[in-house]
Amino acid sequence: MGKVISIHSFRGGTGKSNLTANLSATLAARGYRVGVFDTDVASPGIHVLFGINDVPASASLNAYFWGNCSIQDAAVDVMPALEGAGVPVSASGALYLVPASIETGEIARILHDGYDVGLLNDGILGLMDHYDLDFVFVDTHPGVNEETLLSIAISEVTIIILRPDQQDLQGTAVTIELARQLECKNLQLIVNKAHRNADHAVMKASVEQKLGAPVIEVIALSDDMVQFGSGGVYCMRFPDHDYSQAVGRVADCLVAAGTASQLSDRRVS
Amino acid sequence: MNVLETPPLPKAKHEARVLLLNHRLNGCASLIRGLEVAGFAVTGIAVTPASSTDPVHLVVVAISGVDDSACSVVEQLRQSERFAATPILVISDRFDPSVAEEYLHLGATDFLSQPSAGRVLSGWCERILNSQQSDWLFEEYVRERRRSGAFDRVIIPLSLALFGERDHGRMLETILLEAKALCLADGGTLYLRTSADTLEFTMVHNDVLGISLGGSKGSVTEFPPIPLYRPDGGEPERRYIAAYVANSGLPVSLPDLYDSSNFDLSGPRNFDTKFGYRTLSILAAPLKNDAHRVIGVLQLINARDPLTGEAVPFDPQQQEAVESMCRLAAAGLEAYARMQKLKEQISALHLKIDEAKKREQVSQIVDSDYFKNLKEKARQLRMKTPRA
């Protein structure tokens, strides 16, 4: 059985979707089988990073929620988007994305009606079973709405991304407290968009001390990333960049923390 | 040769001092009278110049035909430090192009044959002095243009660059390299004062030797820091130039390293021996902050004459410019340090959590029936899945 990992942030703009895309791609390139659920249904966007410009309403996470398609039908194989980007991709790796609909009507409907997190849970389990996935990432909607909190509750690991500023820190502190109330035990933090001149070790220690949760990486704000925009999965294009190296270390942590021995068989050395 | 070392040129003819070296020229006395009547001060009538250091603006060598001793005198004058740049007029009682050519070849400025009257000679002298003055003024003009150009090109852009620079290593590099460029110096060293009261080599550069250490390339590990206080009793260290400058807050300019006994110069002399180099001049200036505390020392070696390229002492204008630059550099480094401190403070400020606010927000949510239901939903979801 694979691991379900929620990638969450209290506020938007933390780089959550970018990190989810890069992290999942890094693991897939290493030979792991990975699924990604875009549950940021109010403002979907991760599909663009995988080179998908159009999400058909009939094959999306929304369609699955309304019972219009199976979860397998909603999942898109995005592995080809990684191949040819410059980084060697392991043949045993797999990457499936379940995108959210980008149609305005669909977004309005799901915002109004909400969705059944039980169905999401079933979808995750179904896809994991169908494709024999090692990791499933849930790219959540920022904030503390019901669906998001429940998504966190059903995940084995929750990674909360924050920027090193007052608002993010305050909001993240509240989110962590709520997650603990929901009995989520494996909470980890990533500080993103830190100043490049800041002492990252000091920042890590300070955030850990104030929030009482481990910081697995402090990632510097990168002008190169900003310039790259949504042009693709950055780590696949620039594997030697500091950002890609940082994402690689996060991937190492996830592999090491969980069922590493079980997963290692898949890796192509 | 440094032209600035020659005596100041006369403002009027009566201030011009002419040294006459007479080598058996008939009628020389009447020529001297003619010069004096014309307003020149003729001094030191002799065969060879006396060892006096009185200023001389023109040397007249009077000869009769080919005279080996006169040739030798002209040659010696040119090789001497005192007369190297002084115009020399050779006067002869007969015209012989080959003789004239020989004297000119040896370094004479001009050759005049058969000066029939003192007035002719004085006119000739006047023309040479005017020409010399024009040359001197032109050279000064060129130097001044280069100096003022250096101010425009270096000082103003430097101040802008220093305050915009965010990379400490590049900032150090800019300070040293621009100061070096300002004086056309061979090289230099930038020391920064440490909290342990030592001067740390942060950058060492020498164009001639191809040495470039520190700055953006990292720290200089080749040279140990210079202590500012003596180990025996803690007195301020004043034996070494950089330590003296740091402790006194005063600049030091040595025209010739090997002609100075005020400091322990074994360090630079050992450096010369090791690298086969010749350090002539040294200029060291303090980097003082707003509180007049010396935070570093900038030391330059071997200024170069902009016209001849020869190693020369640092002139007072260069020293003034380097001192101005050091004030700018100190302000730039202080501003950088303040910015770093501010960043840390901002960073610390950003990492504060208002615990009371957090508790209130959390309790508002978790105490609600909505959240109690949510907890129950979460529990049921986890029960359904084998992962939880």
Side-chain angles (χ1 to χ4, degrees):
Chain A
M1 182 60 68
K3 292 166 79 79
V4 181
I5 300 163
S6 291
I7 309 279
H8 182 61
S9 66
F10 177 72
R11 289 201 300 155
T14 55
K16 178 171 57 67
S17 295
N18 237 314
L19 187 74
T20 306
N22 279 282
L23 192 51
S24 57
T26 298
L27 286 165
R30 289 183 185 184
Y32 295 109
R33 301 181 64 81
V34 184
V36 177
F37 280 68
D38 187 359
T39 67
D40 190 0
V41 289
S43 48
I46 196 170
H47 56 276
V48 179
L49 300 172
F50 289 114
I52 300 170
N53 294 320
D54 189 31
V55 178
S58 57
S60 63
L61 184 62
N62 307 53
Y64 165 73
F65 285 145
W66 313 143
N68 295 335
C69 71
S70 69
I71 197 68
Q72 292 87 346
D73 290 338
V76 183
D77 179 5
V78 290
M79 204 62 182
L82 310 187
E83 288 157 356
V87 173
V89 174
S90 167
S92 61
L95 183 56
Y96 296 95
L97 170 69
V98 181
S101 175
I102 53 173
E103 286 185 18
T104 319
E106 284 296 321
I107 292 172
R109 180 181 173 191
I110 205 159
L111 285 178
H112 181 265
D113 297 349
Y115 62 84
D116 182 352
V117 180
L119 271 179
L120 175 66
N121 196 30
D122 293 344
I124 290 170
L125 290 173
L127 199 71
M128 193 178 269
D129 189 46
H130 186 79
Y131 287 119
D132 192 18
L133 301 177
D134 299 314
F135 295 98
V136 170
F137 289 96
V138 181
D139 183 16
T140 68
H141 181 61
V144 287
N145 65 26
E146 180 173 331
E147 289 88 353
T148 295
L149 287 173
L150 288 175
S151 302
I152 291 172
I154 61 170
S155 303
E156 291 161 280
V157 179
T158 298
I159 296 175
I160 303 180
I161 302 174
L162 68 150
R163 287 160 298 200
D165 71 34
Q166 183 76 13
Q167 274 186 294
D168 269 19
L169 198 75
Q170 192 76 34
T172 304
V174 173
T175 308
I176 289 174
E177 197 54 45
L178 294 178
R180 283 185 179 140
Q181 292 281 339
L182 291 170
E183 296 168 22
C184 301
K185 290 189 174 63
N186 198 348
L187 281 169
Q188 302 192 26
L189 306 173
I190 290 176
V191 180
N192 196 16
K193 301 187 178 180
H195 194 285
R196 68 186 164 94
N197 290 342
D199 187 329
H200 290 190
V202 170
M203 188 176 282
K204 177 181 187 295
S206 174
V207 172
E208 284 180 343
Q209 189 253 322
K210 287 175 193 330
L211 294 178
V215 173
I216 51 175
E217 192 66 39
V218 176
I219 304 175
L221 175 65
S222 160
D223 293 341
D224 300 328
M225 280 283 289
V226 173
Q227 197 170 13
F228 188 66
S230 300
V233 181
Y234 195 80
C235 291
M236 296 294 109
R237 291 279 295 278
F238 306 102
D240 297 327
H241 193 275
D242 287 348
Y243 178 83
S244 308
Q245 300 291 312
V247 170
R249 288 192 292 274
V250 175
D252 293 341
C253 280
L254 292 178
V255 171
T259 49
S261 56
Q262 179 187 332
L263 298 169
S264 61
D265 297 340
R266 294 196 194 283
R267 293 197 60 176
V268 175
S269 56
Chain B
M1 177 188 71
N2 184 2
V3 179
L4 289 174
E5 286 175 355
T6 57
L9 289 170
K11 292 190 178 75
K13 201 161 52 178
H14 67 270
E15 291 176 6
R17 299 170 71 87
V18 176
L19 172 66
L20 183 72
L21 303 178
N22 189 7
H23 285 251
R24 296 188 297 278
L25 177 66
N26 291 329
C28 192
S30 68
L31 291 175
I32 294 164
R33 276 196 299 279
L35 277 178
E36 286 172 338
V37 168
F40 289 98
V42 181
T43 62
I45 304 162
V47 174
T48 54
S51 57
S52 160
T53 55
D54 289 343
V56 169
H57 302 110
L58 174 67
V59 178
V60 175
V61 180
I63 62 166
S64 176
V66 179
D67 185 333
D68 287 343
S69 65
C71 287
S72 169
V73 164
V74 171
E75 202 170 9
Q76 283 170 18
L77 286 170
R78 274 292 167 256
Q79 286 168 358
S80 74
E81 202 173 316
R82 186 179 169 206
F83 294 104
T86 310
I88 300 170
L89 172 64
V90 178
I91 58 173
S92 171
D93 56 2
R94 70 190 74 164
F95 178 69
D96 184 338
S98 63
V99 173
E101 195 178 332
E102 186 169 358
Y103 280 105
L104 292 172
H105 176 73
L106 290 171
T109 311
D110 213 339
F111 185 92
L112 174 64
S113 62
Q114 299 165 322
S116 55
R119 271 189 308 213
V120 174
L121 178 59
S122 71
W124 211 263
C125 291
E126 206 168 326
R127 187 186 61 75
I128 290 175
L129 284 170
N130 285 341
S131 166
Q132 172 79 357
Q133 188 151 23
S134 299
D135 289 351
W136 187 82
L137 287 173
F138 179 72
E139 286 183 1
E140 270 308 282
Y141 168 77
V142 170
R143 282 192 178 83
E144 278 307 315
R145 279 294 300 268
R146 291 192 182 181
R147 278 192 201 109
S148 63
F151 262 82
D152 293 347
R153 286 194 312 274
V154 177
I155 300 280
I156 297 169
L158 177 71
S159 54
L160 294 172
L162 283 182
F163 287 94
E165 183 58 70
R166 291 180 179 184
D167 185 298
H168 194 247
R170 274 209 302 271
M171 180 182 269
L172 301 176
E173 220 164 68
T174 305
I175 293 166
L176 180 61
L177 297 184
E178 294 299 340
K180 205 173 69 58
L182 190 71
C183 304
L184 299 176
D186 278 0
T189 302
L190 182 63
Y191 306 90
L192 287 185
R193 188 181 195 136
T194 66
S195 54
D197 276 329
T198 61
L199 283 180
E200 189 178 55
F201 287 79
T202 55
M203 203 185 165
V204 179
H205 201 94
N206 190 302
D207 288 340
V208 176
L209 299 173
I211 295 173
S212 179
L213 304 169
S216 59
K217 296 179 187 71
S219 55
V220 179
T221 53
E222 287 79 356
F223 306 103
I226 300 171
L228 290 178
Y229 294 94
R230 300 180 73 147
D232 50 345
E235 286 297 305
E237 181 61 82
R238 291 175 183 272
R239 289 174 299 172
Y240 309 113
I241 297 174
Y244 171 84
V245 171
N247 281 322
S248 69
L250 298 171
V252 167
S253 181
L254 299 182
D256 190 339
L257 177 76
Y258 291 86
D259 192 23
S260 173
S261 56
N262 293 337
F263 297 102
D264 179 342
L265 298 164
S266 55
R269 285 174 185 166
N270 287 342
F271 179 89
D272 281 7
T273 308
K274 184 177 174 186
F275 290 100
Y277 183 69
R278 170 67 165 90
T279 303
L280 178 80
S281 51
I282 292 185
L283 173 63
L287 274 68
K288 286 186 198 170
N289 66 11
D290 294 344
H292 301 290
R293 184 171 184 270
V294 177
I295 61 167
V297 173
L298 175 68
Q299 183 171 298
L300 299 173
I301 56 170
N302 283 5
R304 294 275 166 188
D305 186 287
L307 295 179
T308 65
E310 288 178 57
V312 291
F314 292 86
D315 65 42
Q317 289 88 349
Q318 286 173 327
Q319 183 174 329
E320 199 180 314
V322 168
E323 286 182 62
S324 301
M325 217 165 162
C326 285
R327 281 192 285 275
L328 271 176
L333 288 170
E334 288 279 285
Y336 178 85
R338 275 198 300 273
M339 193 173 76
Q340 290 302 109
K341 199 172 172 185
L342 195 64
K343 263 187 201 167
E344 284 169 18
Q345 285 170 344
I346 290 170
S347 184
L349 186 71
H350 280 163
L351 295 178
K352 274 185 187 160
I353 294 176
D354 186 337
E355 281 295 330
K357 194 172 162 188
K358 186 189 90 175
R359 272 198 302 273
E360 189 188 336
Q361 285 175 331
V362 170
S363 68
Q364 273 177 3
I365 299 170
V366 299
D367 293 344
S368 65
D369 290 340
Y370 154 78
F371 194 78
K372 284 170 189 156
N373 288 334
L374 198 68
K375 275 179 87 169
E376 181 54 28
K377 275 187 194 172
R379 196 182 61 80
Q380 285 175 6
L381 279 170
R382 274 198 295 268
M383 280 174 66
K384 276 205 229 168
T385 163
R387 299 186 310 268

